[in-house]
Amino acid sequence: ALYSYDTKSKECALLLQDDYPPLKILKSLEGIVPISSNKLLITSFNGFCVVNTSKASPTFELFDVYNEKPLGGFKNCITDHKENVWMSSDYGVTRFDSKTSTITKFDYLNSNVGDTPTPMVSFSHKTNTIFLSQNLAINTIDTDDLKMAKPGKVILSDIKIKDYYISALPSSGETVL
């Protein structure tokens, strides 16, 4: 199920899977991120969907198959400065272009990404760079021209740092905090 809250009327609506077939196909919802003021993207283990909230009743566009192949599961998701959504999967990261509905996968077959299932994904608004957690490393993707850096072996602490941005990938042995 999914809840919708109207901040003006202070009403809360329950959207049941039985009433919305895409939610039933997605089953377990994993992540949610805004794409624009009236669109959300929801991830699950069975693909993802785009929810248009501009009308009285939301509409859902399901993405569980692409080029006649199952998309698989997605977990962590973020939006970049171009309204693309980046989602972690079992094999790396996938970019969804919300303007063209184009899906691009980055995994161990076509990039340096994919060493770690469902990596954590973060976006730097300062450098327009995606940061991905990889097996004891950080991988970066420059979103302006899709250049991917080779993973740098960086051992990080167990402490999760929220809302902290670094301007560039640190050098070996460099302390960032």
Side-chain angles (χ1 to χ4, degrees):
L2 188 65
Y3 289 93
S4 171
Y5 179 72
D6 186 330
T7 56
K8 292 177 184 173
S9 68
K10 308 276 191 231
E11 292 181 6
C12 189
L14 175 63
L15 310 176
L16 297 172
Q17 289 179 332
D18 290 338
D19 299 330
Y20 298 93
L23 289 178
K24 196 168 195 170
I25 292 168
L26 293 179
K27 294 182 184 173
S28 173
L29 306 180
E30 290 296 317
I32 187 166
V33 66
I35 298 174
S36 64
S37 62
N38 61 354
K39 285 189 179 180
L40 303 170
L41 185 134
I42 299 173
T43 62
S44 83
F45 288 118
N46 296 318
F48 64 93
C49 73
V50 174
V51 184
N52 187 335
T53 61
S54 64
K55 298 178 182 172
S57 181
T59 58
F60 296 82
E61 184 178 3
L62 179 66
F63 294 87
D64 60 340
V65 175
Y66 192 71
N67 290 337
E68 300 177 12
K69 295 181 181 171
L71 283 175
F74 299 101
K75 193 164 185 160
N76 306 305
C77 52
I78 52 112
T79 307
D80 69 16
H81 64 297
K82 298 178 182 178
E83 296 182 358
N84 293 313
V85 178
W86 295 80
M87 303 168 280
S88 64
S89 71
D90 286 341
Y91 304 105
V93 68
T94 299
R95 181 187 68 180
F96 174 69
D97 183 329
S98 63
K99 295 174 183 137
T100 64
S101 295
T102 303
I103 297 169
T104 308
K105 291 184 174 191
F106 299 92
D107 57 27
Y108 58 87
L109 297 174
N110 66 0
S111 68
N112 295 315
V113 178
D115 290 345
T116 304
T118 60
M120 294 301 294
V121 183
S122 181
F123 178 69
S124 168
H125 293 277
K126 185 175 181 181
T127 62
N128 296 334
T129 303
I130 300 288
F131 290 88
L132 303 165
S133 64
Q134 295 285 291
N135 187 18
L136 296 179
I138 294 177
N139 196 304
T140 60
I141 301 174
D142 181 342
T143 59
D144 288 328
D145 58 11
L146 291 180
K147 288 184 182 173
M148 284 172 258
K150 292 195 177 201
K153 294 292 179 190
V154 179
I155 298 176
L156 300 174
S157 73
D158 297 49
I159 300 171
K160 190 171 187 178
I161 303 168
K162 191 172 181 176
D163 297 330
Y164 180 78
Y165 298 107
I166 56 176
S167 59
L169 191 62
S171 301
S172 177
E174 182 181 349
T175 301
V176 293
L177 294 176

